């Protein structure tokens, strides 16, 4: 217990300095939502060469590992995963590496006492409801740890955030100030003392809930450019929104990477992780051995640009800049051949200006994954 307390104190001290992490010569690996699946978490980290699969000890040397939130809920073993990351953080630091954890909406929900997605198996792992409640409390071993985590961090030119960091969140503060403000808002929420300034941070447009980038809402590419410019990053990597084909997707000329492939067996999705090197991103799928290179990040010249999917058949949409004026420039994605031919014919005849997209309304932002 004494050793575990020392690990916790070390992690709290390190967390203060992760808003903009210094560049490292080591590898950079990121993993999205794990949702209580300890076995798959270990499989992914071992496949990435970061831990020994048998002993689960750090073997990544000077590598940096970033996990983008939602370790808890759905699955049964979040306690084991949290304990694993706490230990790995200390072992990585001793080896010259780093482990960075980011808050997800499910961490925040549990800190606020929202247990709607807690499994019976998870309760048993903690020893029962009361023991779990104590762990997540403000003075509990896990509550203290989670409250020290940032909501967004830049590592080696990559912005990592759980759901999507919108420009409004940085309109009057830098990334470090945002992390401090978010931590304060969580503390207020835990104490049932929410203040007016806390609501935007914890609400549907806040950094652990917003789905604007994932759903391609509004001028999402322009918003991404604004945020990336402010934090001096080349691309952003997000989790939170499960990709329907269970493969990682890239949007806005590689500036946005949507990395949630429903890793947890609670969803029955695909194991995946990202390898970042020299401005490039490779997606690795341990279950199949598939490795896919994503497009390099490039400046976005128009608000709406084609989405990229490394899988066939490709998910598709048409993105057109302008306001429905004939002659505007349109960007057609890669589609399965029959669909592409049909869509091309219709575009040429100008029978469609922009495909109608079902607007599910603001409730999309509150749909919990």
């Amino acid at each position: 217990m004494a050793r575990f307390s020392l690990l916790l104190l070390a992690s709290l001290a390190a967390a203060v300095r992760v808003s903009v992490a210094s560049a490292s010569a080591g590898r950079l690996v990121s993993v999205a939502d794990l949702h209580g699946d300890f076995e798959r978490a270990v499989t992914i980290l071992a496949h990435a060469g970061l831990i020994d699969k048998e002993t689960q000890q750090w073997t990544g040397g000077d590598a940096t590992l970033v996990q983008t939130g939602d370790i808890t809920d759905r699955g049964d073993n979040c306690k084991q995963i949290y304990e694993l990351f706490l230990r790995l953080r200390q072992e990585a630091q001793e080896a010259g590496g780093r482990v960075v954890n980011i808050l997800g909406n499910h961490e925040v929900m549990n800190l606020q006492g929202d247990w709607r997605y807690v499994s019976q198996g998870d309760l048993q792992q903690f020893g029962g409801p009361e023991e779990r409640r104590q762990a997540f409390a403000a003075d509990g071993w896990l509550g203290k740890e989670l409250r020290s985590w940032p909501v967004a961090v830049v590592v080696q030119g990559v912005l990592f955030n759980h759901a999507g960091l919108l420009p409004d969140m940085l309109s009057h503060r830098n990334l470090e100030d945002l992390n401090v403000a978010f931590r304060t808002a969580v503390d207020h929420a835990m104490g049932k003392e929410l203040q007016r300034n806390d609501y935007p941070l914890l609400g549907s447009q806040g950094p652990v809930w917003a789905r604007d980038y994932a759903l391609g809402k509004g001028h999402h590419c322009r918003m991404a450019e604004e945020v990336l410019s402010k934090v001096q990053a080349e691309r952003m990597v997000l989790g939170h929104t499960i990709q329907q084909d269970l493969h990682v997707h890239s949007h806005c000329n590689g500036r946005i990477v949507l990395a949630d492939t429903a890793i947890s067996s609670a969803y029955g999705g695909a194991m995946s992780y990202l390898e970042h090197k020299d401005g490039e991103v490779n997606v690795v799928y341990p279950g199949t051995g598939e490795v896919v290179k994503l497009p390099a990040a490039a400046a976005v010249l128009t608000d709406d640009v084609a989405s990229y999917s490394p899988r066939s058949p490709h998910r598709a949409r048409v993105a057109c800049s302008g306001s429905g004026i004939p002659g505007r420039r349109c960007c057609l994605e890669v589609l399965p051949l029959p669909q592409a031919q049909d869509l091309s014919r219709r575009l040429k005849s100008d029978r469609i200006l922009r495909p109608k997209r079902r607007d599910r309304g603001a409730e999309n932002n509150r749909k919990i994954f």
Side-chain angles (χ1 to χ4, degrees):
M1 187 65 185
R3 173 171 169 75
F4 189 79
S5 297
L6 289 173
L7 292 177
L8 179 57
L9 288 172
S11 69
L12 288 169
V16 176
R17 302 184 294 273
V18 296
S19 293
V20 180
S22 59
S24 168
R27 297 168 60 210
L28 174 58
V29 177
S30 64
V31 183
D33 309 39
L34 294 171
H35 282 297
D37 196 323
F38 179 75
E39 183 177 343
R40 287 194 168 194
V42 168
T43 298
I44 289 169
L45 297 183
H47 191 278
L50 297 175
I51 66 169
D52 181 276
K53 190 166 186 179
E54 299 302 320
T55 66
Q56 295 157 21
Q57 301 293 309
W58 179 261
T59 60
D62 62 355
T64 296
L65 167 64
V66 180
Q67 199 283 322
T68 54
D70 277 12
I71 285 176
T72 190
D73 289 346
R74 308 291 187 184
D76 295 337
N77 297 298
C78 82
K79 180 174 180 285
Q80 286 181 278
I81 303 176
Y82 284 128
E83 290 173 341
L84 174 65
F85 273 94
L86 267 171
R87 177 171 55 78
L88 290 179
R89 186 176 303 149
Q90 180 66 23
E91 293 175 0
Q93 186 174 356
E94 292 171 356
R98 297 193 65 197
V99 173
V100 179
N101 289 97
I102 293 172
L103 283 171
N105 60 303
H106 283 268
E107 274 80 30
V108 175
M109 290 167 67
N110 276 265
L111 288 171
Q112 292 176 295
D114 186 342
W115 288 17
R116 282 176 289 168
Y117 301 93
V118 177
S119 69
Q120 286 299 314
D122 184 273
L123 289 174
Q124 293 170 10
Q125 287 290 322
F126 278 89
E130 184 54 34
E131 289 79 1
R132 192 180 193 278
R133 189 173 293 107
Q134 291 175 5
F136 275 92
D139 58 351
W141 69 268
L142 187 51
K144 287 181 181 178
E145 167 67 16
L146 296 180
R147 287 164 54 228
S148 75
W149 289 7
V151 73
V153 60
V154 174
V155 183
Q156 296 183 26
V158 181
L159 171 64
F160 295 97
N161 171 237
H162 179 63
L165 186 56
L166 302 181
D168 285 351
M169 294 294 105
L170 296 172
S171 62
H172 56 287
R173 57 192 162 210
N174 58 27
L175 200 58
E176 185 174 351
D177 291 338
L178 171 67
N179 282 318
V180 171
F182 195 87
R183 191 171 301 130
T184 301
V186 170
D187 288 345
H188 289 162
M190 292 179 72
K192 311 299 182 185
E193 298 174 350
L194 277 173
Q195 300 178 15
R196 183 175 182 180
N197 291 339
D198 299 333
Y199 288 100
L201 290 164
L202 300 178
S204 62
Q205 295 298 100
V208 299
W209 283 106
R211 298 190 193 274
D212 297 58
Y213 298 125
L215 299 179
K217 285 188 171 182
H219 302 298
H220 66 293
C221 292
R222 184 184 299 172
M223 291 191 297
E225 284 294 310
E226 184 177 343
V227 169
L228 291 172
S229 175
K230 181 147 192 179
V231 302
Q232 299 181 18
E234 290 296 316
R235 63 164 52 87
M236 63 175 68
V237 173
L238 311 173
H240 188 49
T241 302
I242 293 174
Q243 301 303 288
Q244 293 180 6
D245 62 358
L246 306 181
H247 270 61
V248 174
H249 289 262
S250 175
H251 287 241
C252 302
N253 283 1
R255 302 288 259 178
I256 301 172
V257 177
L258 306 175
D260 188 352
T261 60
I263 288 171
S264 176
S265 56
Y267 289 113
M271 291 185 288
S272 65
Y273 63 91
L274 305 183
E275 284 267 11
H276 308 260
K277 185 177 181 181
D278 299 329
E280 297 181 348
V281 181
N282 285 329
V283 186
V284 184
Y285 300 94
T288 63
E290 184 182 10
V291 180
V292 179
K293 182 178 179 180
L294 295 182
V300 177
L301 301 179
T302 59
D303 261 327
D304 302 294
V305 297
S307 303
Y308 171 81
S309 167
R311 193 163 161 82
S312 181
H314 296 280
R315 295 176 67 191
R317 67 182 178 85
V318 177
C320 298
S321 59
S323 56
I325 302 172
R328 73 207 178 293
R329 181 169 60 180
C330 290
C331 188
L332 181 63
E333 293 179 34
V334 178
L335 305 173
L337 185 58
Q339 188 177 356
Q341 290 173 334
D342 175 65
L343 190 51
S344 179
R345 284 194 297 269
R346 289 191 292 151
L347 279 171
K348 286 179 180 178
S349 65
D350 206 28
R351 290 208 304 267
I352 62 171
L353 296 177
R354 183 188 291 266
K356 292 182 179 179
R357 184 171 58 188
R358 183 179 174 187
D359 184 9
R360 300 173 185 264
E363 65 271 14
N364 264 318
N365 288 332
R366 297 299 296 181
K367 189 174 181 181
I368 300 170
F369 285 108

